[in-house]
Amino acid sequence: MTTAAKGGTAAVPPTDQSPRRRPTRSVTGTRKLLAAVFLLPALVLLGALVVYPIVYSVYRSFFDQAGTGFAGIDNYKALFTDATIRTAVKNNAVWVVFAPTISTALGLIFAVLTERIRWGTAFKLIVFMPMAISMLAAGIIFRLVYDQAPERGVANAVWVGVHDTFAESSGYPKAHPLPVHPLKAGGGGSFVTKQPVTAGEPVLIPLVGVAPAKMPGDAAPAKAAGGGDGKITGTAWLDFTKGGGGTPNTVDPKELGLKGLKVEAVRDGKVIASATAGADGTFTLPASADGAQVRLPASNFSEPYNGVDWLGPSLVTPGIIGSYVWMWAGFAMVLIAAGLAGLPRELLEAARVDGANEWQVFRRITVPLLAPVLAVVLVTLMINVLKIFDLVFIIAPGSSQDDANVLALQLYRSSFGTDADLGIGSAIAVLLLLLVIPVMLFNIRRIRKEGRR
């Protein structure tokens, strides 16, 4: 029996009456040719300016200096056997480790502190301002900052000032006796009297070789010493008369005393007494110095402290890294400050309410929350320092440029120097590319990971 007989109605087979969906199309739809036409100029530029140079550099790196003979991997072997290139690789490793780390750390400190000071915006502006200066200008500035002469180099002017505050400097570095004089060399740069001194006979210590402009401002006209009542007396003076005249080894009226000159009485190689010359050059030793020799210690004549050789072989790389940090710490500070402004303040306040001090809040909450921003800054600066060239080329003098060498500078020297070898230069370029690729891949993975959150 059919359903119609039982229920009185005929069964209707189901039919799909719903409207069919049209297949979704991409934004360009069927106009792929039009999209290719618009992309073609960019692809041509990308191929001409990026792809072709990379491919040709890889190809050229397998040929010799002339470019006609196949060299295989000999150019790559030279990267690790040539002492100059190995120094460049080592310095690049130092740059990658220290420059981004120090810049990021300072940027983090500045960003956190500027939130707590009244003039934080002005401070950020001052710290960020070096970013407006080109690498060329910054290199010239720091070449002057690191100048060896304290009267020109700011770094050495400060260093020498601090040193001279705690260490007494020499008063007369170029002073010396005349050819005919009552003194003789005492060894080690010192001078001693030729004969033992006797009470009642003033000791004469005439010196020359001190420019009048270098004399102490309060130096007085030299005065012949008196008898001394059993003590040893004498006079140390500049045996030079302006305009000529005067008698050698004799105190003349227009000659000045050597104020501050140190005098020692020496017997059997031991110092038994010492004195310092006054403004008029006179000095007095106790009666116990009778029969001893008077010595002028070498400290009177040593060259003045001239500071640190910032651009010498041992400090040139740290010095240039310092100039880089000066420029890029502001960049790190601005990016980290932007990330810091987006932190949920309720978490920080909750931690403080729970009893955490500021250091604990900073270390356990602020820094972990800022980790993505810190990674961006650190990776960006790492890529930047792998290509560092300008600062090293300008700041490092010719005498220490080999010690400050980096891969980008060696690439320039190998490709365009006096003994150019484009095979070596191309191999260095490929090595730089291989060093940058892992950092770029890490950055891309991090960006994708952030995008999936």
Side-chain angles (χ1 to χ4, degrees):
M1 185 179 290
T2 63
T3 307
K6 289 183 178 182
T9 59
V12 180
T15 59
D16 189 1
Q17 300 288 335
S18 60
R20 292 183 178 180
R21 292 184 180 180
R22 303 179 67 178
T24 58
R25 295 181 179 180
S26 63
V27 176
T28 57
T30 59
R31 303 173 187 174
K32 294 182 179 179
L33 179 61
L34 182 61
V37 170
F38 278 105
L39 288 175
L40 185 60
L43 293 175
V44 170
L45 287 175
L46 185 66
L49 300 179
V50 178
V51 178
Y52 172 74
I54 292 175
V55 173
Y56 183 76
S57 295
V58 174
Y59 167 79
R60 184 64 178 84
S61 67
F62 291 104
F63 286 82
D64 58 11
Q65 183 175 4
T68 55
F70 184 74
I73 62 172
D74 290 345
N75 292 328
Y76 291 95
K77 289 181 179 178
L79 300 184
F80 302 99
T81 56
D82 184 87
T84 302
I85 301 178
R86 276 189 291 138
T87 300
V89 174
K90 180 190 71 174
N91 287 339
N92 256 103
V94 173
W95 272 88
V96 169
V97 171
F98 289 100
T101 304
I102 296 173
S103 299
T104 304
L106 286 178
L108 175 61
I109 294 171
F110 290 157
V112 172
L113 293 181
T114 49
E115 283 199 333
R116 301 174 178 274
I117 62 176
R118 183 176 181 183
W119 301 100
T121 303
F123 179 80
K124 288 179 182 178
L125 179 63
I126 293 172
V127 175
F128 187 74
M129 194 176 296
M131 282 294 298
I133 303 174
S134 68
M135 287 281 195
L136 173 65
I140 295 173
I141 290 171
F142 274 87
R143 181 66 181 268
L144 295 174
V145 168
Y146 291 137
D147 196 290
Q148 180 67 35
E151 60 270 17
R152 293 194 302 269
V154 176
N156 262 344
V158 174
W159 194 267
V160 170
V162 173
H163 174 274
D164 290 347
T165 301
F166 299 98
E168 192 173 355
S169 60
S170 170
Y172 306 99
K174 297 185 181 297
H176 60 275
L178 286 167
V180 180
H181 54 79
L183 301 174
K184 65 179 181 180
S190 65
F191 296 96
V192 297
T193 54
K194 295 179 180 178
Q195 302 295 330
V197 296
T198 305
E201 294 183 9
V203 182
L204 299 179
I205 302 179
L207 297 176
V208 294
V210 183
K214 298 294 183 179
M215 290 290 291
D218 54 350
K223 184 175 67 173
D229 297 332
K231 297 181 180 180
I232 303 298
T233 60
T235 304
W237 79 100
L238 179 63
D239 197 8
F240 172 80
T241 303
K242 289 183 180 180
T247 304
N249 300 326
T250 302
V251 179
D252 295 308
K254 294 183 179 180
E255 295 173 346
L256 298 176
L258 295 174
K259 180 185 177 182
L261 190 77
K262 295 179 182 178
V263 180
E264 297 175 342
V266 181
R267 181 182 289 118
D268 298 328
K270 296 182 180 180
V271 178
I272 59 175
S274 61
T276 302
D280 58 2
T282 58
F283 61 88
T284 303
L285 293 168
S288 60
D290 190 12
Q293 288 181 297
V294 172
R295 181 175 69 183
L296 305 180
S299 58
N300 289 312
F301 314 110
S302 60
E303 290 292 330
Y305 182 70
N306 204 33
V308 177
D309 188 7
W310 298 102
L311 299 181
S314 59
L315 292 178
V316 62
T317 295
I320 300 175
I321 290 177
S323 66
Y324 179 90
V325 171
W326 176 76
M327 290 190 67
W328 288 88
F331 167 82
M333 177 196 67
V334 170
L335 291 187
I336 295 172
L340 195 61
L343 293 184
R345 299 295 166 175
E346 59 272 14
L347 291 180
L348 304 179
E349 294 302 326
R352 293 188 181 100
V353 170
D354 289 341
N357 56 37
E358 292 301 321
W359 169 246
Q360 291 173 327
V361 171
F362 172 77
R363 184 168 60 92
R364 297 189 177 183
I365 298 178
T366 303
V367 172
L369 291 177
L370 284 175
V373 179
L374 296 177
V376 170
V377 175
L378 197 62
V379 170
T380 302
L381 294 181
M382 288 176 67
I383 296 174
N384 186 268
V385 298
L386 282 172
K387 305 178 294 181
I388 194 70
F389 167 80
D390 316 62
L391 289 177
V392 181
F393 183 73
I394 297 169
I395 296 178
S399 58
S400 58
Q401 198 167 88
D402 285 343
D403 300 285
N405 200 14
V406 290
L407 283 174
L409 177 59
Q410 185 60 39
L411 169 61
Y412 169 79
R413 295 167 69 178
S414 297
S415 301
F416 307 105
T418 55
D419 191 20
D421 187 338
L422 290 179
I424 297 291
S426 299
I428 295 174
V430 174
L431 176 61
L432 272 175
L433 177 64
L434 294 176
L435 292 175
V436 170
I437 286 176
V439 183
M440 294 178 61
L441 292 177
F442 172 80
N443 209 20
I444 292 172
R445 288 183 60 187
R446 185 199 54 77
I447 292 173
R448 288 179 177 175
K449 186 177 179 181
E450 290 294 322
R452 289 194 295 265
R453 290 183 178 180

